[in-house]
Amino acid sequence: MFSLNEFPLPFNSVALEPYISQETIDFHHGKHLATYIKNLNDLYQGTQYENLPLNDIIIQTAKDDSAKKIFNNAAQVYNHNFFFHCLSNEKFPIPSEITEAFESAENFYSQFKSVATSIFGSGWAWLVQEKDGTLKIISTANADTPIAHNLKPILTIDVWEHSYYLDYQNRRADYIDTVLKNLINWEFVKENLQK
Ligand code: MN
């Protein structure tokens, strides 16, 4: 059984104001993530996936069409926990690995924003690393996650409407811009690059 206590917010829920409100964070972590955890617990009990670590559940259910609901909820737990760790109100420099791979910080921001704003419906924008070290920006639809595709997640932004609607309504591009320029925990991103 998973519990919300295993996935605490890495910051105080007011810390991202004025860019993301405490209300948004409280709903996002305390309601949305909590519901994915509850659904996962309800769904995987009594299956072959019960008691496996979260990443193993995701990788194994990704190949099992009959376990789509378990995959969706497990992947959403993973994605949200990863996303919250990508956010911080502390300022760190963007890692040189990224500015070199994308030629400049501005190029990286604009390519990431373009991918994120192009998602039709709900999904996630990611910076991922391939096995050979190549960095690329991708999107995944709904609950899908890079670890199901043998890609290492480096950075993500949640592009489901619940992540920004209270603060930005339909202005998805403003939300993406604001998060990229003000709230990314580049220290966490750097650690992911070095893993
Ligand atoms: Mn979300």
Side-chain angles (χ1 to χ4, degrees):
M1 294 275 278
F2 294 96
S3 141
L4 190 60
N5 297 331
E6 293 169 64
F7 305 98
L9 275 178
F11 46 78
N12 187 292
S13 63
V14 300
L16 307 184
E17 291 195 346
Y19 307 116
I20 299 178
S21 66
Q22 180 177 23
E23 188 182 20
T24 291
I25 294 295
D26 284 344
F27 270 101
H28 208 169
H29 183 264
K31 302 289 184 196
H32 290 278
L33 174 56
T35 299
Y36 293 124
I37 292 169
K38 183 186 182 303
N39 289 343
L40 174 59
N41 285 335
D42 290 346
L43 288 162
Y44 90 148
Q45 285 183 71
T47 74
Q48 63 190 288
Y49 305 109
E50 188 171 5
N51 298 326
L52 289 179
L54 184 64
N55 287 31
D56 293 354
I57 295 172
I58 293 165
I59 289 160
Q60 293 185 29
T61 56
K63 294 174 253 170
D64 178 356
D65 286 343
S66 71
K68 189 71 185 160
K69 286 183 183 171
I70 299 175
F71 172 82
N72 283 339
N73 285 282
Q76 283 295 78
V77 173
Y78 176 89
N79 290 347
H80 279 91
N81 186 53
F82 191 87
F83 169 61
F84 290 132
H85 282 82
C86 287
L87 302 177
S88 173
N89 62 341
E90 287 183 76
K91 295 282 181 197
F92 302 105
I94 184 169
S96 56
E97 293 93 325
I98 295 176
T99 53
E100 281 161 20
F102 293 89
E103 289 167 6
S104 69
E106 284 311 313
N107 264 345
F108 171 74
Y109 293 143
S110 92
Q111 287 183 41
F112 196 97
K113 183 179 170 184
S114 166
V115 168
T117 52
S118 302
I119 294 170
F120 185 80
S122 296
W124 299 80
W126 302 86
L127 176 65
V128 297
Q129 195 167 36
E130 296 181 305
K131 286 281 176 245
D132 67 0
T134 308
L135 291 172
K136 67 176 183 181
I137 299 166
I138 64 164
S139 62
T140 58
N142 300 312
D144 200 11
T145 187
I147 65 171
H149 305 281
N150 215 12
L151 294 167
K152 184 166 80 168
I154 303 295
L155 162 68
T156 195
I157 296 183
D158 187 346
V159 190
W160 285 56
E161 272 187 353
H162 67 228
S163 64
Y164 61 87
Y165 205 83
L166 292 174
D167 301 324
Y168 295 86
Q169 295 80 46
N170 62 320
R171 291 176 286 112
R172 178 185 279 188
D174 289 351
Y175 156 74
I176 300 294
D177 236 358
T178 300
V179 172
L180 274 177
K181 305 273 174 71
N182 299 284
L183 295 178
I184 299 299
N185 184 346
W186 294 114
E187 277 295 303
F188 175 73
V189 169
K190 197 169 173 172
E191 285 165 22
N192 295 330
L193 284 165
Q194 288 164 356
K195 266 181 200 161

